[in-house]
Structure formats: structure tokens, C-alpha cells
Amino acid sequence: MSAKQLATAKEALEKPSGMIIVCGPTGSGKTTTMYAMLNEIDRHTRNVITVEDPIECILPNASQIEINPKADITFAKSLRSILRQDPDVICVGEIRDEETAAIALRAAQTGHLVLATIHTNSSISAMIRLMDLGVSAMLISSGLNLIVSQRLVRLLCEKCKTKAQLTPAQVKFFHQNKIDTRNIYKAVGCDECHNTGYKGRMAICDMLPLNQQMKDSLVNNQSLIDEMRKNGDKKGNV
């Protein structure tokens, strides 16, 4: 994350209530990001409870529940049970249905910090997905604070990467998008990276903090919602 994105994420985590959604396709590192956020929370002073399918990482000083549909332990039923245990922070492994989404957002309204993941391709798609599940714009605007959309990209091998020779058309494209062409490299391949040219991965994030103006627009402006459904909206992204 850039310094600005990190500050945005930490600001959302420091709030006593509200929902943070991490979205992206399968294998984009959503769970890793969510656990990184949970590790920023002082679990000695705040009661942290997670509901996951399955539990992917042990989180010290937190209560972790694994759902089991065969035993009728679902996300929605687990969330209802959790809310009776006076949690400060609730982590929902994945929002899959209307009931889970509605309970999580209501919890975010009533003094709980809620972290959740959802399978969508972008920040705007996450909001549209919640609406398609039947959650009202009023509930989304009052409970949702931040949406983080991310992907994983491969890193060039530090041992063999070389400066890229760019064509005039490529230089023009990069300059139009305000990208410095002096630091563009290409993959080569060596023994260190098994001749792939790449070694390791990193996350690239797009953040959409919901400020009061955007929340008001969601509730009062149906045309904004229609526009988001049709074209998406970059407004407010970090």
C-alpha cells in the first residue's frame, strides 16, 4: 500500500464502528490483507471474534468460529450468536447472502467494527453486489466506511531485470498516464528465478472511503446508483 492508502486503512481501523470490505477475485490476497488489518488491532483490550470458512490462520487472543453447513453452523447464525457475546470487532470470512450482509451491516451500525471479504472485481462492484443481495442503500450508507479492492501482481526478479526499451508509442502512453518512464524494467530470466524473470508477488490496492457526501448521494440519488451499475464511478478512490 502507498503511504496515503495505509493512512486511509489505519483511520478506518481506528474507528469504533463501521464496516471495512476487502474485495477481489479468488486468489487476490483478500484474506491476507484482512488478517494484516486484524493484527493492527489490540486484541488484549478489544474482543475480536471471527467467522470463517475455513479458519486459514490462527489469530492469538481472538475467538475464531469455523462454519459447518452440515451442522447448521452458517455465517448468518454464527453472527447472531456472536452479537450476544459483546464483541468489539467482528470478522466475516465472506459475505455470500443477503442475511449475512444485512446482519453484518447492522452490527456495523450499532457500535461494532466489522471486517469482511466479498468476491467482486472492483470497489464499486462490491456496493452493487450488496444491493443485488437485497441490502438497502440506506443500510449500506450508514454502515459501510471503506472498500479495499486488490489484486496480486508478480515482481520482477531483482537479479536479472533490465531496463525496458520503449517504443515512442509506449512512451507517449506512459506520459499521458503520468508514469515515469525512467524506471520501467522488463523480465529476463536467470537461475535465481528459474528463468521466469519473476520472483515474489505484491498486492496493488484501490481504496474507496465512503465520506458523508458519498453516503448522502447513495441514499438520496437513485441516478447515481443507476450510473454506478452501468459505468462504475472513480470518485473518492485512493
Side-chain angles (χ1 to χ4, degrees), residues 17-21 79 83 95 97-112 114 126-127 129-147 210 212 214-220 225:
S17 63
M19 178 183 273
I20 300 171
I21 287 180
L79 275 173
L83 289 170
I95 291 176
D97 55 69
E98 178 188 355
E99 193 176 11
T100 303
I103 295 170
L105 278 162
R106 286 195 185 99
Q109 276 184 306
T110 55
H112 305 88
V114 181
M127 271 200 284
R129 171 73 175 142
L130 290 173
M131 291 179 194
D132 288 344
L133 285 173
V135 181
S136 69
M138 175 70 78
L139 190 54
I140 293 170
S141 67
S142 58
L144 191 56
N145 286 344
L146 175 68
I147 305 175
L210 274 76
Q212 194 56 51
M214 191 165 187
K215 291 184 177 189
D216 291 342
S217 297
L218 267 178
V219 176
N220 302 317
I225 296 171

Side-chain angles (χ1 to χ4, degrees), residues 43-61:
R43 296 188 298 277
H44 292 285
T45 58
R46 300 178 81 182
N47 182 15
V48 178
I49 304 178
T50 74
V51 189
E52 302 169 73
D53 179 30
I55 293 171
E56 297 184 56
C57 186
I58 301 301
L59 200 63
N61 303 309

Side-chain angles (χ1 to χ4, degrees), residues 152-224:
L152 288 180
V153 294
R154 294 186 297 173
L155 293 173
L156 292 175
C157 175
E158 291 292 333
K159 290 266 181 147
C160 64
K161 71 179 184 181
T162 59
K163 286 263 189 181
Q165 299 298 317
L166 302 175
T167 65
Q170 288 173 323
V171 171
K172 182 181 178 182
F173 172 80
F174 286 130
H175 284 167
Q176 285 175 342
N177 288 277
K178 299 179 181 178
I179 297 170
D180 188 352
T181 56
R182 292 173 298 176
N183 297 312
I184 294 180
Y185 295 82
K186 67 175 182 178
V188 178
C190 65
D191 291 340
E192 186 75 20
C193 60
H194 304 290
N195 291 311
T196 62
Y198 300 94
K199 190 173 183 182
R201 294 186 298 173
M202 69 175 288
I204 52 171
C205 300
D206 170 63
M207 292 194 177
L208 179 63
L210 274 76
N211 56 29
Q212 194 56 51
Q213 182 184 357
M214 191 165 187
K215 291 184 177 189
D216 291 342
S217 297
L218 267 178
V219 176
N220 302 317
N221 192 347
Q222 183 60 43
S223 62
L224 172 65

